[in-house]
Amino acid sequence: MTTSQPSRTDARGSVETVFRLESPRIIAGVTRVVRDVGIAEELAQDALVAALEQWPRDGVPDNPGAWLMAIARRKAVDLVRRRENYARKLAEIGRDLTETAPPEEPSDPEDIDDDLLRLVFTTCHPVLSAEARTALTLRLLGGLTTPEIARAFLVPEATVAQRIVRAKRTLATKNIAFEVPYGPDREARLGSVLDVIYLIFNEGYAATAGDDWLRPSLCEDALRLARLLSALMPKEPEVHGLAALLEFQASRTAARTGPRGEPVLLKDQNRSRWNRMLIARGIKALSRAEATTTGAPGPYALQATIAACHAHAYSYEETDWRAIATLYALLAARAPSPVVELNRAVAVSMAEGPAPALEIVDSLTGEPALHDYHLLPSVRGDLLARLGRTTEARAEFERAAALTRNERERELLLERARACGS
């Protein structure tokens, strides 16, 4: 049964909207049949083409997602039948496929979630490079096109396309199982999944390069993926921890840029513009993380707790900086990192003053990982300025400006350098 016939333009818009929302589930469901994410994506695209041909003529189905799934899975079964190794595949997916077409919808709705979870772990498999994992996740789970991914990360379309093609080929040639791992392997793989989603969000939250300080669409994609994963894995505290962290961070988006798109530092943000609904979602997700944690909180849960401290403060001055410094110390013990230490130094500077914080920062200047990290001289410049050492501070801000590849951030750093005088 279909709805009344829409115009061709309306039908095409409906197809594209539905496909963007449903494509992860369609690809996941088809991958279960063909065991190859690359082929599954092609079959999902074939279903899209079928919809573009039929919906403008026949009307949009009452359940368009199920319609697309049925077409894609039917094409998958046809493909398996045509393969030379049909007999072996038939034993894997069930002999009933020779007798009946795939159902319009899985008999158990949870099957869809199972397949989606398998797809998440497949696209984020450690056998792929971090760049490949990110591109493939955005393509298959985020529903982004190759040009959209290229624009988001400011790399050529050909580079993104090549990463995606190679990622699919690697998964196929390495015979990566379409499954959710268990035991130690699951813990290791889950870390990769969370890291990919976090990387996507961070690139949108503070763009590495280009003319824009924020790329909100990337933040939205990462937040959607985090929420999806949270629903799929309700007993994993770090999944809820990441979701909470992204909710809290995303709540500040409207206040993080000025009228001309210039960056607004945390201390200068108008907190009335923070999204209280997202903060409430963050609090709820953090509560889930705490309720499911059996031991010490993980890195994402700790970062979410730090973000919650900021969310609960009505002003920069009212922030519980001592609590934040303590939490960063716990995070440093749980997941040692020079970047964590740098963040701890900022908290210490607010809780105890710039002098002890400068000692921490100075101890990091020899860290290879921070050699070209622009935030190291930026933080050092801020501490020096607060200590009245303005000439040194100016040099640090200028060095930071030379290191960043983001034009908006460079302008801010140069402005801070000028404020230090000559």
Side-chain angles (χ1 to χ4, degrees), residues 216-268:
S217 61
L218 269 185
C219 291
E220 291 164 8
D221 287 322
L223 192 53
R224 181 159 49 85
L225 290 173
R227 290 170 180 168
L228 170 66
L229 197 59
S230 184
L232 294 175
M233 305 184 74
K235 297 181 181 179
E236 291 288 347
E238 275 293 81
V239 171
H240 297 306
L242 176 65
L245 174 61
L246 301 196
E247 299 280 8
F248 285 131
Q249 298 291 73
S251 73
R252 307 176 199 165
T253 299
R256 294 190 69 239
T257 54
R260 299 180 303 280
E262 70 276 12
V264 178
L265 298 176
L266 180 62
K267 65 183 179 64
D268 299 322

Side-chain angles (χ1 to χ4, degrees), residues 17 20 22 73 91 93 111 133 136 161 164 191 241 256 273 288 306 323 326 342 345 352 370 384-386 408:
T17 299
R20 183 149 189 155
E22 297 293 335
R73 292 179 71 187
I93 65 175
D111 285 349
R133 280 178 247 162
L136 193 60
I164 292 172
R256 294 190 69 239
R273 300 189 67 197
R288 292 195 195 103
I306 291 169
T326 300
L342 185 61
E352 303 175 23
L370 299 182
L384 289 168
R386 288 167 58 189
R408 293 292 190 175

Side-chain angles (χ1 to χ4, degrees), residues 1 20 60 80 103 115 247 253 301 307 333 349:
M1 179 178 178
R20 183 149 189 155
V60 179
V80 171
D115 287 342
E247 299 280 8
T253 299
S349 77

